Every structure is written in C-alpha cells, then in structure tokens.
Amino acid sequence: MTVEKYLDTNIPVLYIVAKSFNEKGSIYYRLKNRLEIRSVPEVLELLRPDGMQIVLLDNKETYEEYAPYKEVKELREFINLVGNTKLN
C-alpha cells in the first residue's frame, strides 16, 4: 500500500477501510492528518491477519464492493478491531 500520492495532494477526505474476505461489509476510519495518512496504513499492515484487505479510499461511495460500511470514530478502536479481526 503506497500512501505517497496522498501526501502531496490536498485531498479533503481520506478513509482507511478494512474488509474481511469472509464477511460482507467493512469498517472504515477517516484519517485526520498527514501523520495518520503516513503511519496508520503501515501499522495496520503489521497487524493485518490473513484474509483481510486494507485499502485507502478518497470516496467510499464509489467502491460498492466494500459496502455496507460501518464507521469507527476512534483510531485506537479501529486498530484493535483490525488486529482482532472483529469487523462487524
């Protein structure tokens, strides 16, 4: 997962999405700043279990294959959910 293209632009909204291949739907967290854009994907790749996909999206409505989406408002909770594979 490369985040460099997002660091050099002024994208107003960027989401990190976690999807288990065995479940319908996904969870997402809205990244709030450049530090999160750079570090959160790297952390999640280290925690990501087999069978889970982590993607960055600038418009989640465009990607119906990840719907329905469940928002996670706190970064710590999102990281814990991904690490424990309890997505829904």
Side-chain angles (χ1 to χ4, degrees):
M1 178 182 319
T2 60
V3 298
E4 283 73 23
K5 70 178 182 176
Y6 296 111
L7 294 173
D8 295 330
T9 60
N10 291 326
I11 295 173
V13 177
L14 189 63
Y15 304 98
I16 189 153
V17 177
K19 165 119 179 78
S20 173
F21 294 128
N22 297 327
E23 297 179 24
K24 185 177 179 180
S26 61
I27 60 170
Y28 75 92
Y29 170 77
R30 181 178 176 188
L31 296 166
K32 295 179 176 55
N33 54 52
R34 292 187 186 279
L35 178 61
E36 286 187 358
I37 292 170
R38 179 171 292 286
S39 60
V40 172
E42 292 176 5
V43 169
L44 291 177
E45 279 300 314
L46 294 173
L47 296 173
R48 182 184 61 82
D50 290 338
M52 182 176 296
Q53 182 180 24
I54 305 291
V55 294
L56 291 171
L57 303 178
D58 56 1
N59 182 354
K60 61 184 179 12
E61 286 75 25
T62 303
Y63 299 91
E64 293 180 15
E65 63 267 31
Y66 301 107
Y69 293 95
K70 178 182 174 191
E71 181 179 19
V72 178
K73 294 191 185 251
E74 296 296 324
L75 179 56
R76 181 181 302 250
E77 179 185 2
F78 186 81
I79 291 171
N80 286 336
L81 288 169
V82 169
N84 292 321
T85 67
K86 297 175 185 171
L87 297 184
N88 292 321

